[in-house]
Amino acid sequence: MTYKLLINLHITTALISLLLFLFRGVWVLRYGQHNRPRWMKWLPHVNDTMLFVLGIALMLTIQQYPVVNAWLTAKLAALLIYILLGMVVMKWAKQWRSQFIAWLSALVVFAYMVGVAISKQPLIFT
């Protein structure tokens, strides 16, 4: 695959991931953690797996690696935080307020990851 195709697929799956997270978050905040439609339980995992695989392919294509390149290390650390916050929203938190704070925090972390990806700098706010 060419770099241009990889980056476009990665961006597309990232956008789909964000939209699915927004929708799932609103659903959980409005209707609770149970009674979610079937597709809501498996589709995000399929898309996020594709997103991760494309990220690895991009990393190998541009020959930049976590720990070696600070921006990629920051993006990977933010990804882990984003996943944990998503788990708080979707599974662990039982109170609406906790779910809402975790959901908003995850969206901020997602925005940070996008900023790091665009700037190739771990400190995007300086």
Side-chain angles (χ1 to χ4, degrees):
M1 270 191 207
T2 66
Y3 171 77
K4 192 149 185 99
L5 179 59
L6 280 174
I7 195 74
N8 285 332
L9 287 171
H10 187 70
I11 290 168
T12 301
T13 54
L15 181 59
I16 292 168
S17 182
L18 175 62
L19 293 173
L20 287 170
F21 184 73
L22 283 168
F23 186 77
R24 288 169 47 206
V26 169
W27 183 279
V28 166
L29 291 168
R30 184 149 189 208
Y31 302 111
Q33 295 169 334
H34 306 290
N35 302 323
R36 286 185 281 174
R38 254 191 137 105
W39 65 267
M40 207 183 286
K41 295 178 183 178
W42 62 267
L43 182 61
H45 301 297
V46 171
N47 183 73
D48 291 346
T49 300
M50 289 178 14
L51 176 60
F52 190 69
V53 168
L54 288 165
I56 291 171
L58 271 171
M59 177 187 73
L60 296 173
T61 300
I62 64 174
Q63 297 180 356
Q64 294 198 10
Y65 308 99
V67 181
V68 176
N69 301 97
W71 75 271
L72 201 49
T73 304
K75 189 174 174 194
L76 190 58
L79 174 63
L80 294 175
I81 293 167
Y82 175 76
I83 290 169
L84 288 172
L85 288 167
M87 292 174 76
V88 169
V89 175
M90 303 300 164
K91 294 182 181 184
W92 298 334
K94 301 301 177 200
Q95 296 178 337
W96 187 89
R97 183 175 183 199
S98 301
Q99 291 170 324
F100 183 71
I101 290 169
W103 184 68
L104 282 181
S105 299
L107 294 175
V108 169
V109 171
F110 190 93
Y112 170 77
M113 287 190 292
V114 171
V116 169
I118 291 169
S119 70
K120 305 284 190 278
Q121 298 293 323
L123 301 174
I124 60 172
F125 303 112
T126 60

